[in-house]
Amino acid sequence: MFYKNIFINKKEIKNVLNIHKIFINKVGIKNLYYPFILDLNKGKLQKTIGLWNISISLIKYKRGIHMSRIIFILDKLLFKPLDLKYFYNFYKIFVKNLESNDIFIQVCFLYFLKKISPITNFKTLYSYKLTFLLEKKNLLLNFFIKIIIIVNSLCPCSKLISFSNAHNQRCFISFFFIIKKKNIYINNFIKILENQSSSSLWSILKRKDEKYVTEFSYKNPKFIEDLIRNIYFRFKKKKFFLKIENLESIHNHDVYAFSKKFK
């Protein structure tokens, strides 16, 4: 009977029956695939699909939040191309309409760049995994970007002890950093990260390209320790987390390295 009266009187059930009065740190939506237009390459727009996680904090006096309102707001915000500056200001709309001081917005997506094969000059698209993460807690606001890049890493030790060969592995670089400026050029970060490896990768390589890449990586061997230190040095003025995983080709294990700089 009590619930029946609530619906008859058309009260908002999210604001009633809050028995325990406990603050909730995060409540919202997760794993929502939603398309948008990306603008990260000097005005060269590209369409992609993002995997969105959006949540807010809930004060102890309220029972629930407007879940559907989150998607409604997102739909309105994505009518224009998304760049770093625009994403950075997302939180203002959510905070205002969802009546919360805290907001967590995360979107993971594929970012495509045209890469030219080193010898035959074939132009093909190559994908990078990017994540934008914005978190506001009271007056504290942080904006993070995560870049995942796959490169090639050739073993210096294997090269040293072998007459004519050296084993190599596919190397996953995960670079997670805080940004303060909203006008940074993501492509520069990608280029720097790729250049620290034994060799970068391409979507298509013809025989002449394969020969070049194989010989180039052989002349440019890198331990995982070398790779992570080189990247650390290049970004030593920034705050970041850095994780590298090598999928070993001749061992029954993978290799892992982690470093951070948040001072």
Side-chain angles (χ1 to χ4, degrees), residues 112-118 122-128 200-206:
F112 290 89
L113 289 176
K114 281 189 177 181
K115 294 187 71 173
I116 303 175
S117 56
F122 276 103
K123 293 182 180 180
T124 51
L125 291 175
Y126 192 83
S127 63
Y128 302 89
S200 59
L201 305 183
W202 284 264
S203 296
I204 184 171
L205 292 172
K206 305 301 286 183

Side-chain angles (χ1 to χ4, degrees), residues 27-38:
V27 58
I29 64 170
K30 186 177 182 181
N31 295 333
L32 171 68
Y33 287 98
Y34 217 81
F36 63 98
I37 300 174
L38 194 62

Side-chain angles (χ1 to χ4, degrees), residues 41-190:
N41 191 6
K42 297 181 178 180
K44 297 179 181 178
L45 305 181
Q46 62 178 262
K47 296 179 180 180
T48 188
I49 297 177
L51 181 60
W52 296 84
N53 299 329
I54 303 174
S55 59
I56 64 172
S57 63
L58 184 63
I59 61 176
K60 61 182 181 180
Y61 299 107
K62 284 190 175 183
R63 186 185 181 192
I65 71 169
H66 292 285
M67 292 287 184
S68 59
R69 189 176 293 180
I70 295 177
I71 301 176
F72 179 80
I73 297 170
L74 182 65
D75 183 74
K76 294 297 182 183
L77 287 171
L78 295 179
F79 75 97
K80 59 182 290 187
L82 179 67
D83 58 16
L84 296 180
K85 185 177 180 181
Y86 185 48
F87 181 80
Y88 185 83
N89 291 308
F90 262 23
Y91 79 93
K92 297 178 182 178
I93 308 298
F94 282 103
V95 167
K96 179 181 178 181
N97 287 273
L98 297 174
E99 302 168 353
S100 174
N101 290 323
D102 304 336
I103 183 73
F104 175 88
I105 308 172
Q106 176 182 319
V107 57
C108 306
F109 57 94
L110 290 179
Y111 176 54
F112 290 89
L113 289 176
K114 281 189 177 181
K115 294 187 71 173
I116 303 175
S117 56
I119 302 299
T120 56
N121 294 325
F122 276 103
K123 293 182 180 180
T124 51
L125 291 175
Y126 192 83
S127 63
Y128 302 89
K129 292 182 180 180
L130 265 63
T131 300
F132 291 170
L133 191 156
L134 188 145
E135 187 169 26
K136 177 185 180 296
K137 292 184 178 180
N138 292 321
L139 298 178
L140 182 63
L141 179 65
N142 285 315
F143 184 12
F144 302 88
I145 292 181
K146 181 180 180 182
I147 302 175
I148 299 179
I149 295 178
I150 308 174
V151 294
N152 178 37
S153 176
L154 186 132
C155 178
C157 185
S158 176
K159 176 182 178 180
L160 182 65
I161 63 177
S162 304
F163 287 108
S164 58
N165 202 352
H167 80 84
N168 59 73
Q169 44 274 323
R170 179 166 287 199
C171 175
F172 291 78
I173 302 173
S174 299
F175 189 62
F176 188 87
F177 62 100
I178 293 179
I179 68 168
K180 298 298 182 182
K181 298 179 180 179
K182 274 72 72 178
N183 58 348
I184 66 169
Y185 192 40
I186 296 293
N187 295 12
N188 290 340
F189 283 79
I190 292 174

